[in-house]
Amino acid sequence: MKFLVLNGVNLGRTGMREKGVYGTDTLESINRELAAFVKANGHEVDFFQSNIEGELCSAIGNAEGVYDGIVLNAGAFTHYSYAIRDAIAGVKVPVVEVHMSNVHAREEFRHKSVLTEVCRGEILGFGKYSYYLALESFWL
Ligand code: DQA
């Protein structure tokens, strides 16, 4: 199978911003680890990060027929982007929502995701391992 790991707004600064919340590994190093993990399990993976909502919508739309699953950490877009929600609802590719932090133990505005309803499932609170678990969910 072939997967897309999609990261949204501010995730490109993982390892540099709020290290106490998101850890010290950069997105690049996390992606390198994930690539090795996926390959070791006999699958393929691509990566894309954008701070631009429309680019994420396009990436989701263009995933149809190309990927078997998307792992999506939309960052703060999670909490208010109806555009990303509609993009997910508009494709047959299953999407697993991911968060590194336990959003329910943080500020109230993070407790609500407008994406979960249209996702296959949600994994949160396990740092970079949230991505591992989300990917694994596609082949377990
Ligand atoms: C996040 C949680 C969001 O609330 C936040 O805006 C992020 C990262 C996470 O991975 O824990 O940017 O999605």
Side-chain angles (χ1 to χ4, degrees), residues 86-99:
D86 285 351
I88 297 168
V91 293
K92 291 190 198 78
V93 191
V95 178
V96 174
E97 178 181 344
V98 156
H99 302 287

Side-chain angles (χ1 to χ4, degrees):
M1 287 186 285
K2 192 170 179 182
F3 305 107
L4 176 65
V5 175
L6 198 52
N7 278 286
V9 63
N10 294 318
L11 272 308
R13 298 202 68 251
T14 301
M16 290 165 261
R17 67 159 185 155
E18 298 184 85
K19 294 179 188 174
V21 179
Y22 303 117
T24 53
D25 291 342
T26 62
L27 186 63
E28 205 179 36
S29 78
I30 293 170
N31 287 349
R32 258 199 312 274
E33 280 185 34
L34 294 175
F37 175 65
V38 171
K39 194 175 173 200
N41 282 280
H43 304 289
E44 290 174 65
V45 64
D46 289 332
F47 299 93
F48 182 65
Q49 187 273 329
S50 179
N51 292 332
I52 300 167
E53 190 180 20
E55 287 190 355
L56 298 166
C57 294
S58 297
I60 293 165
N62 294 335
E64 190 100 290
V66 178
Y67 296 102
D68 299 293
I70 299 173
V71 168
L72 171 65
N73 185 350
F77 289 144
T78 302
H79 312 299
Y80 63 89
S81 176
Y82 296 120
I84 293 176
R85 180 197 169 105
D86 285 351
I88 297 168
V91 293
K92 291 190 198 78
V93 191
V95 178
V96 174
E97 178 181 344
V98 156
H99 302 287
M100 286 189 275
S101 65
N102 177 358
V103 285
H104 300 292
R106 300 181 64 195
E107 302 93 325
E108 197 163 346
F109 75 89
R110 297 186 204 276
H111 298 183
K112 171 74 184 165
S113 166
V114 300
L115 309 181
T116 315
E117 274 178 8
V118 292
C119 287
R120 176 182 276 185
E122 183 188 21
I123 295 175
L124 59 92
F126 297 100
K128 66 181 177 184
Y129 296 104
S130 292
Y131 293 98
Y132 281 79
L133 294 167
L135 283 162
E136 211 172 21
S137 74
F138 284 111
W139 63 75
L140 282 182

